[in-house]
């Protein structure tokens, strides 16, 4: 009986799509659809996933995955850079936990190819794309994305964004066993991370502490991890 209800729902949705496609208001309706689901991938919405209630928000995001893909595809075709970027980031937030990362790489790269994206938003999207490549074990592609993001941040004059991009490069070095490069990058990221970004500073301190302990520099590593707990 449950299967019958689902089949009926599928048929109703298919009929609604056909009627909408034939309507003169289809473009406006799809634009509203895109803006709504783009809101789930805005910077504010993504930051909210890391605050109390984030688990419930992630569940709702997972339930919207098919609509996010659909809204993203239409935005890319229509050249709607902001909608393409935000829906791509929302897809990545879902697949970051559920996998696989490959489709996230595809939508993020497609969004980056759309002209007209705000420079600051492009940095965040490039970092997301690098992280998705990293999750897919595509280390060279990840490193290229993180390096591109760092180059973009230098023109924006935002120390927090610089720190974020350099820290991601450090993570890539760390995961591929390039300890010296990772150490240098973490320290550079820490030097750039402002006190007004405690979550970012805490992440860098914690990762650097883990790296140092694994390299035998136990005392400094533990001290940095304790500092991370104090600021995060």
């Amino acid at each position: 009986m449950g299967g019958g209800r689902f089949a009926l729902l599928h048929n109703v949705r298919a009929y609604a799509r056909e009627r909408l496609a034939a309507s003169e208001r289809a473009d406006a309706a799809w634009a509203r659809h895109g803006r709504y689901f783009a809101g789930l991938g805005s910077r504010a919405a993504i930051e909210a996933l890391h605050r109390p209630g984030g688990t419930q928000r992630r569940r709702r995001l997972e339930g919207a995955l098919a609509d996010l893909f659909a809204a993203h595809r239409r935005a890319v075709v229509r050249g709607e850079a902001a909608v393409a970027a935000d829906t791509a980031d929302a897809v990545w937030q879902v697949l970051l936990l559920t996998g696989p990362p490959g489709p996230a790489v595809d939508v993020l790269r497609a969004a980056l190819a759309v002209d007209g994206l705000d420079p600051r938003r492009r940095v965040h999207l490039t970092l997301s794309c690098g992280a998705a490549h990293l999750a897919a074990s595509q280390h060279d592609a990840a490193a290229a994305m993180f390096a591109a993001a760092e180059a973009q941040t230098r023109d924006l004059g935002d120390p927090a964004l610089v720190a974020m991009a350099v820290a991601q490069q450090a993570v890539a070095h760390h995961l591929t066993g390039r300890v010296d490069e990772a150490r240098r990058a973490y320290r550079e990221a820490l030097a750039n991370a402002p006190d007004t970004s405690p979550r970012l500073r805490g992440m860098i301190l914690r990762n650097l502490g883990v790296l140092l302990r694994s390299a035998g520099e136990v005392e400094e590593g533990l001290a940095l991890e304790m500092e991370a707990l104090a600021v995060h």
Side-chain angles (χ1 to χ4, degrees):
M1 187 162 176
R5 283 199 298 270
F6 283 124
L8 178 60
L9 177 60
H10 175 78
N11 290 337
V12 169
R13 292 185 71 178
Y15 174 72
R17 282 195 296 269
E18 288 176 6
R19 291 297 302 271
L20 179 58
S23 169
E24 294 179 355
R25 296 178 299 216
D27 281 350
W30 286 127
R32 288 194 300 273
H33 177 272
R35 287 194 298 272
Y36 173 80
F37 285 99
L40 301 180
S42 68
R43 297 311 306 165
I46 289 174
E47 288 169 6
L49 297 176
H50 303 284
R51 295 199 293 266
T55 300
Q56 292 79 6
R57 294 186 188 97
R58 282 190 183 277
R59 290 200 187 105
R60 289 197 292 272
L61 201 57
E62 289 176 26
L65 189 58
D67 279 304
L68 288 168
F69 272 115
H72 172 77
R73 285 192 297 269
R74 283 192 296 272
V76 170
V77 170
R78 294 160 63 100
E80 297 172 344
V83 173
D86 288 348
T87 50
D89 241 343
V91 167
W92 166 230
Q93 290 301 314
V94 174
L95 298 184
L96 171 63
L97 296 182
T98 66
V105 169
D106 293 339
V107 296
L108 289 162
R109 292 189 76 98
L112 285 169
V114 180
D115 292 332
L117 194 60
D118 173 79
R120 191 173 298 273
R121 188 68 186 88
R122 179 171 291 278
V123 170
H124 285 289
L125 195 67
T126 303
L127 289 172
S128 292
C129 193
H133 275 299
L134 206 58
S137 298
Q138 299 166 351
H139 298 127
D140 290 343
M145 282 290 169
F146 294 146
E150 182 191 355
Q152 293 162 14
T153 62
R154 301 293 180 183
D155 296 329
L156 295 174
D158 185 334
L161 273 181
V162 173
M164 198 180 302
V166 176
Q168 289 287 63
Q169 291 185 69
V171 170
H173 292 320
H174 191 170
L175 291 177
T176 52
R178 298 194 291 271
V179 175
D180 290 340
E181 291 92 331
R183 183 191 287 108
R184 282 194 296 272
Y186 278 134
R187 292 196 187 281
E188 181 185 349
L190 191 58
N192 279 283
D195 293 336
T196 52
S197 300
R199 191 156 67 91
L200 175 60
R201 286 187 64 83
M203 180 271 288
I204 297 168
L205 286 164
R206 183 178 62 252
N207 287 353
L208 179 56
V210 169
L211 175 72
L212 293 179
R213 283 198 298 109
S214 67
E217 300 171 49
V218 178
E219 186 174 347
E220 185 182 0
L222 286 173
L224 289 172
E225 290 181 75
M226 292 300 292
E227 187 179 348
L229 290 173
V231 301
H232 187 36

